[in-house]
């Protein structure tokens, strides 16, 4: 741990809390990020002009995407006119978890925001696209290759110049939204990892995660061991797509939690012997997977060792509602990674100790939203 006189450690990436703090940033602007090196959590702060109403468990700002270009796609209820607010589309945005951000591979600072709008039982879908080059929303009709089963969206990733829509029970849909005639591709999870329709509904992102690490798409799963029951069956497995055109996942490595719990590095944390909430994967090192328990800790799955462990602070939700959608691995552009770093802030005591009685729909994403970019 750094001494008080030492500068805070920096990093080429951060763990960003998905729910921002709403208060006036210290510099008087509409947004700022308190960067802190992993495994602590960096917090975005937006001003009341960006989100004027008091946040509640049913109404809150939310980071939908964090791009390595430095852009964030933010769900907000704007009272100001930021530099890069997106205009409202003529049609309704169906669900925030269908919205993705991808930077143009042609450069020039251009980007596209796209929502996939499937209709269950039909072989057609709509891509609702906003291109910064065109400056308006357009609709593109595409063939929808999936059978009639509800798609359970959790997030949209940008990888290899494409967007990847994630359903943690089933697989991923991908396409190039910049194409004049986009084609949707579907890569299901390995057959033994595909869940039944509505199985683990609402909790899959406590036990599963899809993210980019080491330049490849990775799928992490702890659910199957939980379903099998018994300590000996509790495992963390990491699967990889060899490249963006692959159609099959390859098992990279797998470890039993009993092996991790038995290691001295885990015993030293003082954490309980129970399956933790899956958080994310290290964007540079696919061996390291992060979990949320009383602390946010990183495990080298191949070595079965804890390599990082810190108390974490989130603006929201309370610990009883925590899941992987509330944190994001954000690789930083050089302009940000060379900026000001802090030792981290801990909002846990302030937020988590407030009286809280869970109610249906708390901290879920809804449809029909407005967005803005913050670079």
């Amino acid at each position: 741990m750094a001494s008080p006189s030492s500068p805070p450690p920096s990093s080429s990436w951060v763990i960003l809390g998905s729910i921002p703090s709403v208060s006036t940033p210290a510099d008087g602007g509409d947004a700022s990020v308190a960067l802190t090196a992993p495994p602590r959590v960096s917090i975005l702060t937006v001003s009341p002009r960006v989100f004027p109403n008091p946040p509640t468990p049913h109404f809150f700002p939310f980071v939908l995407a964090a791009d390595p270009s430095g852009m964030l796609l933010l769900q907000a209820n704007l009272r100001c006119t930021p530099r890069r607010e997106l205009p409202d589309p003529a049609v309704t945005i169906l669900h925030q978890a269908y919205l993705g951000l991808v930077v143009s591979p042609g450069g020039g600072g251009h980007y596209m925001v796209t929502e996939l709008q499937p209709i269950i039982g039909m072989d057609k879908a709509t891509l609702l696209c906003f291109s910064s080059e065109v400056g308006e929303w357009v609709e593109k009709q595409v063939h929808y290759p999936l059978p009639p089963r509800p798609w359970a969206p959790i997030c949209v990733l940008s990888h290899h110049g494409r967007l990847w829509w994630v359903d943690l029970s089933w697989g991923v849909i991908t396409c190039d939204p910049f194409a004049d005639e986009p084609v949707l591709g579907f890569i299901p999870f390995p057959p033994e990892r595909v869940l039944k329709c509505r199985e683990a509904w609402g909790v899959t992102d406590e036990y599963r995660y899809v993210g980019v690490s080491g330049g490849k798409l990775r799928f992490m799963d702890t659910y199957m061991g939980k379903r099998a029951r018994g300590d000996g069956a509790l495992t963390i497995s990491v699967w990889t797509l060899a490249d963006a055109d692959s159609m099959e996942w390859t098992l990279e490595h797998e470890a039993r939690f009993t092996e991790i719990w038995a290691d001295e590095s885990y015993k030293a944390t003082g954490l309980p012997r129970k399956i933790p909430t899956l958080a994310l994967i290290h964007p540079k090192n696919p061996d390291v997977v992060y979990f949320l328990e009383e602390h946010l800790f990183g495990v080298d799955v191949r070595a079965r060792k804890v390599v990082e462990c810190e108390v974490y602070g989130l603006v929201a939700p309370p610990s009883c509602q925590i899941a992987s959608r509330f944190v994001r691995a954000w690789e930083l552009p050089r302009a940000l990674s060379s900026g000001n770093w802090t030792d981290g802030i801990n909002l846990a005591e302030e937020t988590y100790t407030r009286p809280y009685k869970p109610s249906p729909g708390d901290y879920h994403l809804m449809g029909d939203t407005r967005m803005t970019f913050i670079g």
Side-chain angles (χ1 to χ4, degrees):
M1 182 176 293
S3 66
S5 60
S6 302
S10 62
S11 172
S12 62
W13 72 286
V14 295
I15 300 172
L16 182 68
S18 299
I19 298 181
S21 171
V22 179
S23 64
T24 302
D27 61 4
D30 285 320
S32 68
V33 182
L35 296 175
T36 183
R40 292 183 174 174
V41 178
S42 297
I43 299 294
L44 171 69
T45 298
V46 298
S47 77
R49 295 202 307 155
V50 173
F51 201 86
N53 297 318
T56 72
H58 290 258
F59 185 62
F60 50 90
F62 194 80
V63 176
L64 297 168
D67 191 82
S69 66
M71 285 192 243
L72 300 178
L73 181 60
L74 174 71
Q75 169 203 337
N77 181 30
L78 303 172
R79 190 165 64 191
C80 62
T81 304
R83 289 181 296 120
R84 283 185 277 185
E85 177 189 354
L86 274 65
D88 289 332
V91 298
T92 299
I93 291 172
L94 299 182
H95 198 294
Q96 291 99 311
Y98 280 115
L99 280 163
L101 162 68
V102 60
V103 173
S104 171
H110 294 294
Y111 57 85
M112 185 174 287
V113 173
T114 301
E115 183 191 33
L116 173 63
Q117 297 186 335
I119 300 176
I120 299 172
M122 297 189 65
D123 62 357
K124 300 292 183 183
T126 299
L127 289 178
L128 180 62
C129 304
F130 178 87
S131 167
S132 62
E133 292 187 85
V134 176
E136 63 182 13
W137 292 89
V138 299
E139 295 180 57
K140 299 180 181 182
Q141 302 303 312
V142 293
H143 173 68
Y144 188 67
L146 278 69
R149 163 177 165 161
W151 184 260
I154 196 66
C155 68
V156 185
L157 304 173
S158 171
H159 172 55
H160 201 71
R162 301 183 199 168
L163 288 175
W164 303 73
W165 288 266
V166 179
D167 177 339
L168 291 173
S169 71
W170 197 3
V172 295
I173 296 172
T174 184
C175 86
D176 175 6
F178 293 100
D180 293 332
E181 297 182 0
V183 177
L184 298 183
F186 176 56
I187 303 98
F189 293 142
E192 68 275 16
R193 302 282 162 165
V194 173
L195 305 183
K196 297 176 182 178
C197 183
R198 296 187 178 272
E199 182 179 356
W201 193 263
V203 298
T204 51
D205 63 343
E206 296 179 26
Y207 304 103
R208 289 182 160 194
Y209 177 81
V210 172
V212 178
S213 178
K216 297 180 180 180
L217 209 64
R218 318 280 179 168
F219 162 51
M220 282 126 284
D221 181 26
T222 64
Y223 179 77
M224 300 309 288
K226 177 181 181 297
R227 187 171 69 173
R229 302 174 184 262
D231 281 359
L234 298 178
T235 59
I236 166 68
S237 59
V238 180
W239 302 72
T240 300
L241 275 186
D243 56 61
D245 297 317
S246 296
M247 295 299 296
E248 294 184 359
W249 299 86
T250 301
L251 181 62
E252 198 78 27
H253 36 260
E254 187 172 54
R256 290 188 176 92
F257 275 102
T258 51
E259 297 173 309
I260 297 169
W261 295 334
D263 192 83
E264 291 300 323
S265 61
Y266 188 88
K267 293 177 181 178
T269 67
L271 295 172
R273 288 170 55 97
K274 71 174 186 177
I275 187 167
T277 298
L278 193 52
L280 50 87
I281 191 170
H282 194 298
K284 307 288 188 182
N285 182 358
D287 288 348
V288 177
V289 174
Y290 289 85
F291 297 91
L292 289 158
E293 187 45 56
E294 297 165 4
H295 294 60
L296 200 160
F297 63 100
V299 172
D300 185 322
V301 177
R302 195 182 299 274
R304 280 74 166 162
K305 291 183 178 295
V306 174
V307 293
E308 294 179 294
C309 183
E310 289 280 358
V311 173
Y312 67 94
L314 290 174
V315 175
S319 56
C320 61
Q321 297 274 356
I322 201 67
S324 62
R325 67 181 179 274
F326 296 111
V327 289
R328 301 195 180 277
W330 187 19
E331 293 191 73
L332 300 175
R334 182 169 298 179
L336 276 179
S337 61
S338 60
N340 295 324
W341 290 78
T342 71
D343 283 319
I345 58 176
N346 184 8
L347 300 172
E349 286 186 16
E350 174 188 345
T351 304
Y352 290 1
T353 55
R354 297 173 188 165
Y356 174 72
K357 183 178 181 180
S359 63
D362 283 3
Y363 298 107
H364 286 191
L365 297 181
M366 304 298 178
D368 193 9
T369 183
R370 300 183 69 190
M371 296 146 293
T372 181
F373 284 101
I374 300 170

